[in-house]
Amino acid sequence: MMSKIIREGYTIRIKLSENNGYDGYSIKCTYKYCKANEKYSLSMWLKRDDIDDDYKIENQEVDTQYIPGTRETIEENIYKIVEQAASTGYFDKYIGRFEYSLKCFERGNQLYEEEHVSRPVTQD
């Protein structure tokens, strides 16, 4: 028996402008229409463009909100929301958190590698 298909919306990615200090970052926007609200549910995720692996550190949820639009206008509406948020510095704290987490990961990895290399090799 085949399971029912569950549609969870669509995803677009908007590269953030280096003019706002966001060089190398994008916002992944997933949207789906909610009949009950007659609006689209929009979830935004921060993505660093040079990280391709599917690690949790790659994405950080930024926001979920309901926005108006039609099939024809929804992507342009999302673009305007992201553009406005970027121009007001809305993403600064999220990028700061992301950079901090990445530095912690890199430092922890460095310590792990140093510990692993310095261990004497034992033979059984």
Side-chain angles (χ1 to χ4, degrees):
M1 177 180 221
M2 184 180 254
S3 298
K4 182 178 176 182
I5 294 173
I6 299 172
R7 298 205 191 312
E8 294 191 9
Y10 299 98
T11 299
I12 60 174
R13 189 164 59 100
I14 301 168
K15 291 185 73 69
L16 295 177
S17 171
E18 61 185 75
N19 296 338
N20 294 324
Y22 298 137
D23 189 29
Y25 284 93
S26 298
I27 299 296
K28 283 177 49 176
C29 302
T30 300
Y31 60 95
K32 65 179 176 178
Y33 188 72
C34 298
K35 288 183 183 181
N37 296 6
E38 295 183 355
K39 292 185 178 183
Y40 284 85
S41 170
L42 168 65
S43 296
M44 295 188 288
W45 295 78
L46 179 65
K47 167 135 181 35
R48 198 162 111 178
D49 298 331
D50 64 341
I51 297 178
D52 292 327
D53 295 330
D54 288 333
Y55 291 107
K56 193 67 173 163
I57 195 171
E58 175 188 349
N59 295 311
Q60 179 182 9
E61 185 172 11
V62 173
D63 186 27
T64 300
Q65 58 185 288
Y66 288 98
I67 61 170
T70 64
R71 286 183 185 172
E72 294 78 23
T73 64
I74 190 61
E75 290 183 4
E76 182 64 28
N77 292 357
I78 292 169
Y79 179 81
K80 288 176 185 175
I81 289 169
V82 171
E83 188 176 63
Q84 175 65 28
S87 70
T88 61
Y90 180 79
F91 299 118
D92 289 355
K93 71 178 180 180
Y94 298 102
I95 289 176
R97 278 191 217 156
F98 183 89
E99 291 294 326
Y100 177 79
S101 296
L102 187 59
K103 286 178 185 175
C104 289
F105 174 80
E106 288 172 349
R107 180 70 177 134
N109 188 59
Q110 178 185 356
L111 290 171
Y112 176 79
E113 290 296 324
E114 288 171 2
E115 180 183 286
H116 183 71
V117 169
S118 67
R119 282 190 200 151
V121 177
T122 59
Q123 295 182 0
D124 294 326

